């Protein structure tokens, strides 16, 4: 690492600490030439492989921008979108790969978006999965309903009214 003061190329690491929840390492260094100390930060880069064959750095801002369009008019805050983008990045980093296909980024968005807002999820999925017909929408809505209301369960209102029990105690002489 080149010293920012004297430009010498020899330095030694004095201290290392993990930052940003393990996504970066902060290193305190000392220059062998001038003896001054300086700090460096090491981060891993995550790249997205586009369909065109080009690669670009992963951007949370691009995730937020794409999802914001699907959330237009929905009760979703900027904080919600920032958390979603963080979840997407965490999911992609967990794969251990430095280069992620763009298709995987879209798939990583669908899960958290579905939990955040089902209407926004349908909007995003319709573009991402190229829904062509009304049947495509109907099939996705049926899937959402099936996962929300599994077979064999009763609504909570029915369960709470029928579950009251009474206990009677009697004493014998």
């Amino acid at each position: 690492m080149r010293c920012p003061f004297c430009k010498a190329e020899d330095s030694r690491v004095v201290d290392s600490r993990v930052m940003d929840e393990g996504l970066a390492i902060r290193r305190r260094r000392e220059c062998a030439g001038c003896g001054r100390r300086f700090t460096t930060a090491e981060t891993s880069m995550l790249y997205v492989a586009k369909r065109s064959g080009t690669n670009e750095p992963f951007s949370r801002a691009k995730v937020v921008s794409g999802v914001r369009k699907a959330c237009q008019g929905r009760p979703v805050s900027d904080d919600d979108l920032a958390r979603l983008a963080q979840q997407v990045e965490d999911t992609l980093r967990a794969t251990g790969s430095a280069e992620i296909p763009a298709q995987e980024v879209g798939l990583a968005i669908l899960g958290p978006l579905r939990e955040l807002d089902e209407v926004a999820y349908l909007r995003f999925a319709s573009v991402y999965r190229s829904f062509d017909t009304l049947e495509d929408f109907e099939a996705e809505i049926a899937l959402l309903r099936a996962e929300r209301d599994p077979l064999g369960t009763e609504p909570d209102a029915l369960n709470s009214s029928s579950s009251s029990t009474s206990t009677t105690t009697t004493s014998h002489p």
Side-chain angles (χ1 to χ4, degrees):
M1 177 61 58
R2 186 179 299 249
C3 173
F5 305 108
C6 72
K7 308 299 183 223
E9 292 191 27
D10 190 24
S11 64
R12 70 181 186 92
V13 176
V14 179
D15 182 38
S16 291
R17 295 185 186 186
V18 176
M19 323 183 327
D20 296 332
E21 299 175 4
L23 298 177
I25 297 175
R26 176 187 171 273
R27 298 201 192 278
R28 191 75 180 135
R29 296 178 176 269
E30 184 176 309
C31 176
C34 67
R36 294 178 77 179
R37 291 186 174 190
F38 58 98
T39 303
T40 60
E42 297 176 15
T43 59
S44 62
M45 296 295 295
L46 183 63
Y47 286 93
V48 176
K50 310 284 274 183
R51 283 182 237 158
S52 65
T54 61
N55 290 342
E56 65 180 46
F58 174 81
S59 168
R60 283 189 210 164
K62 285 185 90 171
V63 170
V64 169
S65 163
V67 173
R68 180 172 278 130
K69 293 171 190 164
C71 293
Q72 196 168 18
R74 302 296 303 157
V76 176
S77 70
D78 287 341
D79 288 341
D80 293 333
L81 294 177
R83 276 190 294 279
L84 182 136
Q86 179 64 52
Q87 283 180 295
V88 169
E89 183 174 0
D90 291 347
T91 299
L92 297 173
R93 286 191 183 277
T95 66
S97 178
E99 185 176 292
I100 306 292
Q103 178 79 9
E104 295 295 318
V105 176
L107 291 174
I109 291 171
L110 288 174
L113 183 57
R114 185 179 191 168
E115 292 174 18
L116 181 63
D117 188 278
E118 289 179 337
V119 172
Y121 164 79
L122 277 173
R123 290 175 178 172
F124 188 86
S126 71
V127 173
Y128 181 73
R129 293 184 178 160
S130 303
F131 288 3
D132 293 325
T133 65
L134 186 57
E135 287 76 23
D136 293 338
F137 280 95
E138 289 172 339
E140 194 65 32
I141 291 169
L143 183 63
L144 285 170
R145 283 187 176 141
E147 289 177 3
R148 185 186 319 148
D149 302 324
L151 295 176
T153 60
E154 296 180 30
D156 288 338
L158 293 176
N159 287 339
S160 63
S161 65
S162 64
S163 65
S164 61
T165 59
S166 60
T167 333
T168 309
T169 8
T170 58
S171 60
H172 297 287

